[in-house]
Amino acid sequence: MVSLHTGGGNRIAKNLLLSLENHPEHEYLMIIPVDKGFDYILERSRLPLTVIRKPHRKTSFLSRLWFDNVQIPQYIRSFKADVLISLTNISTFFPPVPHILLFHHPHFVYPESLYYRMIGKVEKFRKKMEKICFRLTLRGSTITVVQTPVSKERLITYYAPDIKPEAIRVVPHSAIPITPEPARSFNYSYDKNIFYLFSPTRYYPHKNLELLEKIAQQLIKMNVSGIKFLITLDPTHDIRGARFLKKISRPPVSDYFDNLGFIPTECLEDIYRHSQAVIVQSLLESQSFSYLEALHFHKPILTTDMDFAHVVCGSAARYFPPEQPEAWAESIAELKKDPLKLEKMKKDSATRAEEYLVSSEQVCQAYLKLAEEIRLPLKNN
């Protein structure tokens, strides 16, 4: 779990770690990033976990390659591990034991995405290098886990020489629990007359936050007020995020935004419950936790019209082209004006939650079953 510092990957790791508590029949060596929320779980664990904590810092490709391909094999041999499970997209190229790899980095399988027109040469070069490392990791993996059938199809399409279809398994992830810590209220003064749309994300180009500003501009043209986008940007995280915050700070667009800053996961439930809808304007996702959380709280979803969204949200969402902010604005205005349509979308979200959501324990059991599957042949030999 070493590189899962924030976002959905971090949540996947924490929920899996929580559920391992129900499986003391195995021994576990955990490699985790320091100060990223894992300690709360580990301190309360009844399992005799062996834990290696790696400080988080921006590392070069060479240092990451050294850690993945020299240090991790050393840890495996020292611990006498039977199976390696990597939740990190890129990992050890030639693992000394059978390897389960989780793939959840959509950048590698959407070459047609508008995202690649938004990033500069340096970031494009970095993605090329990451793809090379990913191919090498795939070749050394025994089983690759994806979160949706769409991810499986795209993985087969773009990495056919590196992996066989029968070596890919679909395991949807769970957003519940939202946080291992006790839930608590978020310090924000909600207005009962305001229609709140929650967009929980840090700033990354593929999150397409600039679309929200364009939607706000359309709402202004339509003379529709009483709407707020609740966003969660830390201006110190990315200079582009700071620029976006500066841009939306000018009236009249500023009337449509409140930046809540970095949100501890234990406060997420409070914000979801006070929001009328969730908006996910991303150009790329694998299985966004925002979708899963919105479904769990039975919230209407407004999102990008792309394959990754349809497979998770189904009929619980309304879908829009990313290049048509006027369509998003019209739908938001309609939902604010018509409580019956809003209530219908809530019911659709509740129905989809029953159909699609899985528990963290189910996810954990799926991983452990895969581990037994690839370990037993070696043990019998």
Side-chain angles (χ1 to χ4, degrees), residues 298-351:
H298 303 168
K299 296 298 178 180
I301 302 168
L302 307 178
T303 190
T304 316
D305 189 7
M306 295 188 71
D307 56 6
F308 59 78
H310 284 271
V311 75
V312 179
C313 303
S315 61
R318 288 189 178 183
Y319 303 93
F320 308 94
E323 68 278 6
Q324 295 183 16
E326 62 278 5
W328 297 70
E330 288 170 4
S331 184
I332 292 168
E334 180 185 29
L335 289 178
K336 181 179 184 295
K337 182 180 179 181
D338 193 337
L340 292 178
K341 288 186 178 179
L342 186 67
E343 193 61 32
K344 171 66 167 57
M345 286 194 71
K346 288 180 181 179
K347 290 180 180 178
D348 289 342
S349 185
T351 300

Side-chain angles (χ1 to χ4, degrees), residues 107-119:
H107 302 70
F108 296 165
V109 290
Y110 283 89
E112 78 278 16
S113 174
L114 293 172
Y115 163 77
Y116 286 100
R117 301 181 206 169
M118 301 166 62
I119 58 176

Side-chain angles (χ1 to χ4, degrees), residues 23-267:
H23 298 276
E25 66 271 22
H26 302 296
E27 296 180 29
Y28 305 97
L29 167 65
M30 320 297 302
I31 307 179
I32 62 170
V34 172
D35 297 330
K36 299 300 174 182
F38 291 94
D39 286 334
Y40 185 91
I41 302 170
L42 294 172
E43 288 167 1
R44 287 157 179 77
S45 177
R46 299 185 302 273
L47 298 181
L49 299 172
T50 303
V51 180
I52 295 171
R53 293 173 170 82
K54 188 174 186 296
H56 170 50
R57 58 181 180 274
K58 295 257 182 183
T59 56
S60 67
F61 269 107
L62 290 178
S63 61
R64 176 65 192 269
L65 289 173
W66 176 268
F67 183 83
D68 285 343
N69 295 288
V70 177
Q71 289 185 271
I72 286 182
Q74 289 175 350
Y75 292 139
I76 289 170
R77 295 187 181 98
S78 176
F79 188 68
K80 298 181 180 179
D82 295 302
V83 176
L84 169 65
I85 301 178
S86 300
L87 305 181
T88 53
N89 296 294
I90 296 171
S91 185
T92 309
F93 299 160
F94 305 102
V97 294
H99 185 195
I100 298 171
L101 173 70
L102 171 62
F103 167 65
H104 54 101
H105 193 56
H107 302 70
F108 296 165
V109 290
Y110 283 89
E112 78 278 16
S113 174
L114 293 172
Y115 163 77
Y116 286 100
R117 301 181 206 169
M118 301 166 62
I119 58 176
K121 293 181 179 179
V122 173
E123 187 64 20
K124 286 180 181 177
F125 177 75
R126 182 178 180 85
K127 289 301 173 192
K128 286 181 180 179
M129 296 297 293
E130 288 178 351
K131 285 181 181 180
I132 292 171
C133 293
F134 176 61
R135 284 186 183 277
L136 292 171
T137 305
L138 270 183
R139 291 173 187 174
S141 67
T142 312
I143 288 176
T144 298
V145 174
V146 296
Q147 298 166 307
T148 66
V150 167
S151 291
K152 178 178 179 178
E153 291 168 8
R154 285 184 168 268
L155 202 59
I156 292 169
T157 298
Y158 295 108
Y159 296 91
D162 306 298
I163 191 167
K164 296 178 181 179
E166 59 268 25
I168 306 173
R169 308 296 172 83
V170 179
V171 180
H173 278 281
S174 174
I176 308 304
I178 298 292
T179 173
E181 298 91 347
R184 59 186 177 88
S185 298
F186 184 70
N187 185 23
Y188 178 81
S189 297
Y190 298 97
D191 186 334
K192 63 180 181 180
N193 297 314
I194 297 292
F195 188 92
Y196 292 105
L197 294 118
F198 188 29
S199 176
T201 180
R202 301 183 81 179
Y203 187 93
Y204 297 103
H206 70 278
K207 295 297 185 180
N208 197 26
L209 280 158
E210 286 76 11
L211 177 61
L212 299 184
E213 190 265 340
K214 295 175 183 177
I215 296 172
Q217 293 284 8
Q218 291 296 322
L219 291 169
I220 293 168
K221 289 181 182 179
M222 296 163 59
N223 198 29
V224 177
S225 59
I227 291 170
K228 287 271 189 186
F229 296 104
L230 298 179
I231 59 176
T232 58
L233 298 188
D234 177 356
T236 65
H237 170 243
D238 191 292
I239 186 65
R240 293 165 294 187
R243 291 193 193 114
F244 175 73
L245 288 174
K246 185 176 181 181
K247 187 174 183 181
I248 63 171
S249 67
R250 306 184 186 102
V253 169
S254 58
D255 294 336
Y256 292 81
F257 287 92
D258 273 340
N259 180 35
L260 308 181
F262 173 77
I263 305 296
T265 53
E266 58 266 31
C267 295

Side-chain angles (χ1 to χ4, degrees), residues 174-178 269 272-273 289-299 301 349-350 352-354 357:
S174 174
I176 308 304
I178 298 292
E269 179 174 341
Y272 273 107
R273 292 196 184 281
F289 267 74
S290 299
Y291 293 144
L292 304 182
E293 291 161 353
L295 292 176
H296 175 71
F297 292 112
H298 303 168
K299 296 298 178 180
I301 302 168
S349 185
R352 183 58 179 166
E354 286 290 328
L357 296 185

